[in-house]
Amino acid sequence: MANGFTGKILEIDLTDKEVKITDLDMEDAKKFIGGKGLGAKLLWDRTEAGTDPLGPENPLMFVTGPLTGLTAPTSGRYCVVTKSPLTGTFNDSHCGGFFGPELKKAGYDVMIITGRSEEPCYLMVEDGDVRIEDASELWGKTTTETTLALREKYGDDKLRVAGIGPAGENLVKYAMINIDTHLQKERGGQAGRGGAGAVMGSKNLKAVAVKGTGKPSPARVDEFKEVSGEAYRITREDDFVPNRTKYGTPIWINPMNEYGILPTQNFQRATFEDAENISGETMEEEIVEKDVSCFACPIRCGKHSVVTEGEYEGTRLEGPEYELLALLGSNCCMGDLNAVSKASLLVDELGLDGISTGNVLGWAMECFEKGILTEEDFDGLEPRFGEVKPYIKLVEMIANREGIGDLLAEGVMRAAEKVGEGSSDFAMHCKGMEYPGYEPRGSPGMGLAYATSDRGACHQRAWTVRAELEMDERFSAEGRAELVKETQDERAAAYSLVMCDFVPFGVDSFVDMFNAATGFDLSEEEYLRSGERIWNLARMYAVREGFDRKDDSIPERLKEPLPDGPTAGNAFTDEMFDEMLDQYYELRGWDENGVPKESKLKELGLEFSL
Ligand code: SF4
């Protein structure tokens, strides 16, 4: 453990109950960095076109990066990589907390789980001792119950646990993996997007518990100390970081509302009259109990909150984060912070991705209000926008696949295809993954970012909002392709290290820390080229699965003019979107159908054929 990597991969086959430890290919580590990039390479090598995401052969991989577990700002991060049951393509779901560093301390860069156990099981990883244990008593439990039961069993309140709730067991297509619990002093986390929880459930795997005693260290110790010390200094002195600490991600609710970018009423509007009630400022005043942090992070943007009045009094939770306030909040016209907090706790405890859940609920409410789905379809519920009771009940029904919850558990794309009657026009997704909390008619680069994101609609691959707010013409195609492409490449590299979105330092710090940790000597250009290589590899994965230009699309809803607020009248046209997409493909060196050209692949050292 002297170069940021442990050099070891832990492989567990749940069908044959076999455990083996293999060597990390250091050439791959150099080319693909770690985290997202290394995960993409492993997924490429270990699946083939048409692999069933919920079949035993689909690997579920916990992948750390060269900075995971070292002393550097936000170095607690890692990702879960698998083929997504929601989209049918590559998925990397990123997570903070303490699980990644613990996996490193146990001696592994990557943990790959394949196969399917006949009975519910969990994994106990204690350094070199890896056991597949019976989980029949854990099956059916919530994520917190699972973590606490395992901590009690092993007498260790610091045992790190990645577990699924009923949603993962029931193969809800957007089930997530929850890490640890909100009932602890530090931050937990979620591998939220893309249905990694369903992949885990399909393996009859309830949880993975990890405990390690090693100590990851960098290749060039003094140099690493110096460059990570500089990154800590920049973080401490940054002007915006105190706001992040005080309000967390919800700091963006009020500005997004003021700029006309806050999804409201299933993206029918982009301003919400009750935004202030669910804002970071109101949260801070009414429910936040304390700030919590991931491993080695000085930003401490996490919130532990408790509802202090009303029907949900006593509800304790981590968050809610911006995305849940936007999707479970304004997108469902839910201006009651206590109700949104209750729903946020439920999605974490039952193991659902809150972004997808908020979209599915918004779509279901619109279907109900338009008479496409009726009270009878909803087993007597009347899910109108802003109505608390049916909203809370539907979250539980989805996780348990009860009644209409069975349809909604398939995600908004499949549910709309089944229901028909024009409801696909307002099913907000790309490639099956539901839209995050930034309205593209207020920030058009986000439309391109969602359409071209490697894992389906995702705000983290290229968040163009801040840059677009500073542009002369906010609703225009101009310059968006460059902005999206450059951000995607830069983020692909950062998500491979793995670093958090919220650090205030730039590429130079990332490269300095990467080199000092690994002993490599990459230039900034080579590092960014790795990001481009990783992005193209993920694209080739999608191409191998049959995705192309037709899938890089925006929902019909975005072609309707927004009715009010500062972005009133904004609507995409096919011409505007095609212009952005053509420019983007050209910049990427892809053909007009969105397929990377051979020359581009060669230039990036990705010389393989389909
Ligand atoms: S900034 Fe927030 S999410 Fe990122 S590592 Fe720190 S505490 Fe975790």
Side-chain angles (χ1 to χ4, degrees):
M1 279 206 211
N3 65 351
F5 298 101
T6 67
K8 298 290 171 206
I9 297 178
L10 174 61
E11 303 197 38
I12 301 133
D13 179 340
L14 293 175
T15 305
D16 296 332
K17 305 217 177 302
E18 258 180 31
V19 175
K20 63 179 176 183
I21 295 165
T22 53
D23 291 335
L24 175 70
D25 182 332
M26 289 311 288
E27 276 308 303
D28 278 354
K30 193 162 189 180
K31 246 172 127 174
F32 300 100
I33 303 178
K36 176 189 181 93
L38 187 57
K41 177 64 168 53
L42 290 165
L43 193 71
W44 174 271
D45 289 343
R46 286 164 186 255
T47 54
E48 50 191 39
T51 293
D52 177 2
L54 299 180
E57 58 283 1
N58 186 24
L60 180 72
M61 303 188 280
F62 293 76
V63 194
T64 67
L67 299 187
T68 310
L70 298 180
T71 305
T74 80
S75 59
R77 297 186 74 82
Y78 63 99
C79 60
V80 179
V81 175
T82 193
K83 184 174 179 184
S84 163
L86 190 64
T87 65
T89 186
F90 165 79
N91 190 70
D92 58 323
S93 206
H94 291 253
C95 212
F98 289 74
F99 184 93
E102 201 69 22
L103 184 61
K104 258 309 190 33
K105 280 160 68 181
Y108 309 106
D109 295 311
V110 186
M111 174 167 51
I112 303 178
I113 303 158
T114 52
R116 176 182 285 143
S117 171
E118 271 181 29
E119 304 296 335
C121 69
Y122 72 91
L123 291 173
M124 182 67 200
V125 179
E126 284 185 270
D127 294 323
D129 182 21
V130 181
R131 302 187 300 278
I132 304 169
E133 304 279 12
D134 173 44
S136 45
E137 286 185 6
L138 297 175
W139 208 250
K141 287 192 187 298
T142 66
T143 55
T144 281
E145 286 167 351
T146 302
T147 295
L148 296 182
L150 288 171
R151 285 182 175 177
E152 193 184 340
K153 178 168 180 178
Y154 292 97
D156 180 357
D157 64 2
K158 290 266 189 277
L159 185 68
R160 301 302 169 191
V161 179
I164 56 169
E169 296 172 13
N170 293 322
L171 309 183
V172 175
K173 293 260 173 15
Y174 46 95
M176 59 85 166
I177 300 173
N178 194 74
I179 315 300
D180 293 343
T181 169
H182 59 285
L183 299 179
Q184 63 184 22
K185 286 194 182 129
E186 316 94 344
R187 193 168 177 158
Q190 291 84 33
R193 306 233 65 198
V199 175
M200 196 154 157
S202 74
K203 300 188 179 310
N204 259 329
L205 178 63
K206 179 68 178 174
V208 181
V210 180
K211 208 171 165 174
T213 54
K215 190 170 176 355
S217 67
R220 303 196 286 251
V221 177
D222 291 342
E223 184 185 323
F224 190 81
K225 229 174 167 174
E226 194 185 320
V227 294
S228 74
E230 176 63 5
Y232 273 114
R233 186 193 63 74
I234 296 170
T235 307
R236 271 196 314 272
E237 292 176 6
D238 183 77
D239 286 346
F240 190 65
V241 164
N243 289 320
R244 264 201 201 290
T245 306
K246 188 165 183 192
Y247 300 111
T249 52
I251 194 174
W252 290 110
I253 289 286
N254 275 335
M256 289 306 111
N257 191 49
E258 280 154 26
Y259 291 125
I261 302 179
L262 186 67
T264 302
Q265 205 176 357
N266 195 33
F267 288 81
Q268 293 182 69
R269 295 184 285 135
T271 48
F272 181 42
E273 51 283 6
D274 292 330
E276 182 63 44
N277 296 352
I278 57 166
S279 66
E281 290 81 348
T282 303
M283 253 181 77
E284 215 271 327
E285 225 176 272
E286 292 187 0
I287 63 168
V288 171
E289 217 176 34
K290 61 178 177 188
D291 305 333
V292 287
S293 179
C294 300
F295 176 90
C297 179
I299 301 173
R300 297 178 70 79
C301 80
K303 305 287 155 217
H304 277 179
S305 309
V306 57
V307 174
T308 55
E309 58 181 23
E311 190 175 352
Y312 301 116
E313 186 179 342
T315 296
R316 287 190 170 275
L317 72 153
E318 190 166 290
E321 297 290 339
Y322 171 86
E323 289 297 326
L324 298 206
L325 292 162
L327 277 316
L328 290 170
S330 55
N331 199 48
C332 296
C333 297
M334 201 56 65
D336 174 348
L337 180 60
N338 296 345
V340 179
S341 298
K342 177 68 181 174
S344 299
L345 174 68
L346 274 179
V347 294
D348 285 355
E349 292 296 282
L350 300 175
L352 291 163
D353 171 28
I355 299 179
S356 289
T357 306
N359 272 275
V360 166
L361 291 177
W363 172 85
M365 288 169 182
E366 188 167 346
C367 283
F368 179 77
E369 290 198 348
K370 289 196 158 129
I372 296 172
L373 292 170
T374 64
E375 201 179 327
E376 207 180 313
D377 294 313
F378 285 102
D379 288 342
L381 296 174
E382 296 182 32
R384 294 193 170 80
F385 285 105
E387 282 288 327
V388 176
K389 289 261 151 51
Y391 154 88
I392 296 289
K393 180 69 188 160
L394 279 173
V395 175
E396 294 167 342
M397 288 169 75
I398 292 169
N400 295 318
R401 283 190 177 269
E402 182 193 332
I404 196 164
D406 191 37
L407 173 77
L408 302 180
E410 291 297 299
V412 79
M413 177 183 78
R414 291 176 184 83
E417 280 168 4
K418 189 140 189 220
V419 166
E421 299 197 48
S423 65
S424 288
D425 289 354
F426 54 87
M428 304 305 290
H429 73 91
C430 181
K431 301 181 180 71
M433 187 183 274
E434 291 78 8
Y435 260 38
Y438 305 94
E439 162 62 69
R441 283 167 290 181
S443 183
M446 293 310 297
L448 183 65
Y450 295 159
T452 57
S453 152
D454 50 9
R455 66 173 186 177
C458 173
H459 58 294
Q460 292 180 301
R461 302 302 176 256
W463 192 69
T464 62
V465 176
R466 198 198 298 249
E468 289 190 283
L469 288 174
E470 285 163 13
M471 288 179 174
D472 291 341
E473 213 182 333
R474 245 179 77 191
F475 196 66
S476 155
E478 206 178 321
R480 271 45 177 203
E482 288 91 337
L483 179 61
V484 168
K485 190 247 174 213
E486 275 169 27
T487 314
Q488 287 171 341
D489 290 348
E490 189 275 320
R491 289 289 85 198
Y495 287 142
S496 300
L497 287 174
V498 181
M499 286 266 104
C500 184
D501 280 333
F502 305 144
V503 293
F505 43 85
V507 173
D508 52 344
S509 293
F510 291 147
V511 178
D512 287 347
M513 287 193 285
F514 174 59
N515 283 335
T518 57
F520 300 155
D521 282 300
L522 256 62
S523 65
E524 276 184 35
E525 197 187 345
E526 287 167 321
Y527 167 82
L528 290 172
R529 183 48 64 100
S530 298
E532 189 182 8
R533 180 180 304 121
I534 293 161
W535 193 263
N536 276 268
L537 176 60
R539 179 66 177 190
M540 286 306 290
Y541 193 93
V543 169
R544 190 169 76 173
E545 295 293 339
F547 289 82
D548 60 20
R549 185 181 187 116
K550 68 179 179 322
D551 305 293
D552 297 343
S553 60
I554 53 172
E556 288 300 305
R557 165 127 302 156
L558 297 190
K559 298 171 194 168
E560 298 167 10
L562 280 166
D564 49 28
T567 43
N570 286 3
F572 278 84
T573 60
D574 288 332
E575 294 70 36
M576 178 183 172
F577 181 69
D578 282 345
E579 183 188 334
M580 289 199 293
L581 197 58
D582 285 340
Q583 286 171 1
Y584 174 85
Y585 287 167
E586 196 171 330
L587 282 168
R588 280 242 167 261
W590 297 356
D591 69 17
E592 66 285 354
N593 211 20
V595 178
K597 291 179 184 163
E598 228 177 287
S599 53
K600 173 51 77 177
L601 295 177
K602 202 165 168 195
E603 178 195 314
L604 294 170
L606 292 172
E607 292 172 63
F608 44 63
S609 52
L610 292 179

